[in-house]
Amino acid sequence: MHSHRNGLKTAALLGLLTALILGVGYALGGSGGLVVAVLISLAMNAGSYFWSDKLALRSMRAKPVTEAEFPALYQMVRELSTSAGQPMPRLYVSPTMQPNAFATGRNPQHAAVAVTTGITQILDYRELRGVIGHELSHVYNRDILISSVAAGLAGIITMLSYFAWFLPIGGGDDDDGPNPAALLLMLILGPIAASVIQLAISRNREYAADASGATITRDPLALASALRKIHEGTQRLPLPADNRLTSTAHLMIDNPFKGGGLAGLFSTHPPMQERVRRLEQMAQNSGPVQFQR
């Protein structure tokens, strides 16, 4: 049921995206702007749906790995996906030393789970298993599709802002140019709107993935322990907030950038202390841990 609701949300988001792009394109460029907006909408919708996984993996320089290279990782992913009655995703490892992980892909049949070298070095078996359960929950709930579409929508809004500002597209049949004040406002609001879209979608999804991931593994305390270690690692080894990473940062289990200041207002991740608190409360309510290796 949850995945069906997420599918409907994704369709609604794509519809809103298309309507927004067409409306802005017509307002800024008349019929010519509308044609450009249609082409942009089609290209970006297709890219967000079909190729978001490749872009995310490339941004972290993640490479596919074999079972011989990472037998324990394959074992836990196979165990959890089989237990959930779902296909096993492709597995990738990023050479990044920051501890982090993410899932990407449009559905369980076309999904990938990636972990960094750093996370494999600081987590024990149970903790890494908890992280894998979290990422598989994103896959099964179609959260990664929504996040990918949100990233596409955010990128399109920002692109249109700069497109409208720098290109001399007309304002309509009267050949008047677009209002510079309106373009300046759009230039300012575009990146803010992009951040708000990711913020609204991603934060609740992390709480839900924590809970459902802990249910899959039957070990909420392992995920809570892993999140503490991961957060310490991301704060100690933050990644550079460049364009290559900012569009995929919301997919990761923890914010890969340095927190604090204004950046915290637009964070796509909920506070780590609250995530850990909820998992510990879940463990108290569920009784003894059922996991056995």
Side-chain angles (χ1 to χ4, degrees):
M1 181 64 69
H2 182 65
S3 62
H4 289 312
R5 287 198 301 267
N6 277 345
L8 292 175
K9 291 177 184 177
T10 301
L13 193 61
L14 285 171
L16 176 63
L17 162 64
T18 302
L20 176 64
I21 294 174
L22 295 182
V24 171
Y26 183 78
L28 294 175
S31 57
L34 182 62
V35 171
V36 174
V38 168
L39 296 177
I40 292 176
S41 176
L42 291 175
M44 295 302 292
N45 280 348
S48 295
Y49 187 82
F50 288 107
W51 298 300
S52 60
D53 57 339
K54 295 179 177 61
L55 295 176
L57 293 166
R58 188 176 303 160
S59 71
M60 289 294 289
R61 296 179 291 121
K63 302 296 182 182
V65 294
T66 65
E67 186 169 4
E69 294 173 307
F70 288 86
L73 180 63
Y74 263 80
Q75 176 186 339
M76 64 182 67
V77 174
R78 183 182 294 114
E79 172 219 337
L80 294 174
S81 58
T82 300
S83 177
Q86 297 285 350
M88 183 173 173
R90 294 168 287 137
L91 300 184
Y92 288 75
V93 172
S94 164
T96 306
M97 291 310 299
Q98 181 194 87
N100 226 315
F102 65 94
T104 184
R106 61 185 184 271
N107 55 42
Q109 289 73 34
H110 300 86
V113 171
V115 298
T116 65
T117 298
I119 204 173
T120 64
Q121 294 181 354
I122 69 169
L123 301 187
D124 63 25
Y125 187 93
R126 280 182 60 190
E127 291 166 339
L128 185 57
R129 184 174 177 271
V131 168
I132 295 299
H134 170 100
E135 298 304 336
L136 290 178
S137 293
H138 278 313
V139 174
Y140 303 154
N141 293 338
R142 304 303 199 276
D143 293 336
I144 52 175
L145 176 58
I146 294 179
S147 296
S148 297
V149 171
L153 176 54
I156 290 169
I157 292 176
T158 305
M159 178 190 299
L160 285 177
S161 301
Y162 287 92
F163 180 78
W165 178 254
F166 287 111
L167 293 185
I169 54 178
D173 296 334
D174 57 0
D175 292 330
D176 290 334
N179 187 333
L183 292 182
L184 179 60
L185 182 63
M186 189 175 181
L187 187 65
I188 295 172
L189 293 181
I192 295 178
S195 298
V196 169
I197 290 168
Q198 292 187 12
L199 175 68
I201 293 177
S202 299
R203 285 200 168 198
N204 287 335
R205 297 280 65 80
E206 290 303 315
Y207 285 132
D210 286 343
S212 55
T215 299
I216 290 175
T217 61
R218 303 183 303 280
D219 197 357
L221 290 180
L223 179 56
S225 178
L227 291 179
R228 288 195 198 92
K229 291 183 179 180
I230 291 169
H231 190 60
E232 291 176 1
T234 57
Q235 294 302 296
R236 187 174 63 255
L237 297 171
L239 297 182
D242 58 28
N243 292 333
R244 182 175 57 86
L245 295 174
T246 51
S247 62
T248 56
H250 62 286
L251 296 174
M252 300 184 192
I253 195 169
D254 189 29
N255 183 6
F257 308 130
K258 189 71 174 179
L262 287 177
L265 296 177
F266 298 101
S267 173
T268 57
H269 295 74
M272 187 59 76
Q273 290 182 341
E274 177 61 17
R275 293 174 66 182
V276 170
R277 186 196 68 79
R278 293 189 184 198
L279 286 166
E280 291 175 340
Q281 183 64 45
M282 182 179 180
Q284 292 178 4
N285 295 336
S286 62
V289 173
Q290 302 178 46
F291 166 70
Q292 292 182 348
R293 185 173 177 182

